Amino acid sequence: MEAKTLEAELLQDWHTNGECPEGTIPIVRSPQNRPKRKTSIFSSSIQPGVHLSNNHEYAQVSWLGGNIFGASGRLNVWKPATFNGELSLTQIWVVAGRGTEVNTVEAGWQVYRGANYTRLFIFWTSDGYQRTGCYNLECPGFVQTSHKLTLGGKIVPISRYGGDQFEISIYIHKDKKSGNWWLRIMEIDVGYWPGSIFNKLSDRADYVSWGGEIFNSGSQGRHTSTQMGSGHFAGEGFRKASYVRNLRYVDESRAIKDADPHNLAPLVSRPECYDLQMGNLKNYVPISFMVALDFLTNASKLIAT
């Protein structure tokens, strides 16, 4: 199958009033109302297929090759419905360690209740999501070097069910000389996570993952209706299911290689709600899920600093 896709834009509304000058960067000014991630799929030595009880649910695949120095992929962008202060995202994880020693750098898109659009985001932790790390630029850690892109900013257009599919490209890699983990989005070198903020990722990654995640608050003792991906199951296929394609990793020689689909380890934490399957596009993993009902809206303001 040939996939006809278009690149989404990392919309910078503030560009209508000019751009941030050289030597400054754009940041989201208003506080963002989303749950803090306190646990994750990487917080214990779980195996694929094991049900998780930390209120986070996943549909993802992992490359477990070890001695990894980066990962990349193309993610089509949607606006899934979210409820009860929950969030839904699709992203790439670069991971080292286990338990409270988990180190991650992460990037992708997300939607959460109170937002009326899909946002670009990054995240990191060096102690298994306990005390360190944050989204975007909300704490010291990630060093942004580009003034062209806003972390936490709007992504448009989004994919339409049965229609045009819009993607963003993400590439994370470890610089051999500095030891820093650089982030490139849509061919823009956004900045880097210093190697010095990590203990495990200061050397290399153990594995990388691509896929979707939602937070389930269990409100009123019920499972959430928050969607993952497009809100439709993977079996519906291209133009209807959310997907990640062109899954690649960086090996010890710093060569970028395709992740062999036969060597990818899948994990779906609640198959009756969210599912995953390998599609018939090269390096194509559709990640798509149940339909929900509604969500509210809010907007953020931006300043240059």
Side-chain angles (χ1 to χ4, degrees), residues 38-40 43 99-103 125-130 132:
K38 299 182 183 299
T39 57
S40 85
S43 296
T100 59
E101 294 187 336
V102 162
N103 292 193
T125 182
S126 63
D127 62 356
Y129 303 88
Q130 295 184 102
T132 66

Side-chain angles (χ1 to χ4, degrees), residues 32-76:
Q32 300 186 10
N33 180 25
R34 60 172 160 246
K36 298 295 183 181
R37 287 197 276 178
K38 299 182 183 299
T39 57
S40 85
I41 196 171
F42 310 112
S43 296
S44 61
S45 55
I46 61 170
Q47 298 297 320
V50 174
H51 176 68
L52 306 176
S53 59
N54 60 17
N55 296 108
H56 289 255
E57 299 180 9
Y58 304 85
Q60 65 176 52
V61 295
S62 298
W63 178 263
L64 307 173
N67 297 332
I68 297 169
F69 294 86
S72 66
R74 299 188 67 88
L75 293 58
N76 70 337

Side-chain angles (χ1 to χ4, degrees), residues 51-52 54-59 212-216 223-224 228 267 269-270 273-274 290:
H51 176 68
L52 306 176
N54 60 17
N55 296 108
H56 289 255
E57 299 180 9
Y58 304 85
E213 175 185 352
I214 64 99
F215 176 73
N216 171 28
H223 188 277
T224 182
M228 193 187 296
L267 186 144
S269 58
R270 191 178 286 268
C273 298
Y274 313 106
M290 67 180 183

Side-chain angles (χ1 to χ4, degrees), residues 113-142:
R113 189 174 178 89
N116 65 343
Y117 51 78
T118 304
R119 301 173 186 265
L120 174 70
F121 83 95
I122 64 171
F123 192 89
W124 71 275
T125 182
S126 63
D127 62 356
Y129 303 88
Q130 295 184 102
R131 297 181 181 86
T132 66
C134 61
Y135 285 96
N136 305 326
L137 303 177
E138 294 173 5
C139 68
F142 185 81

Side-chain angles (χ1 to χ4, degrees), residues 218-231:
S219 178
Q220 299 180 346
R222 298 178 179 178
H223 188 277
T224 182
S225 294
T226 286
Q227 299 174 340
M228 193 187 296
S230 70

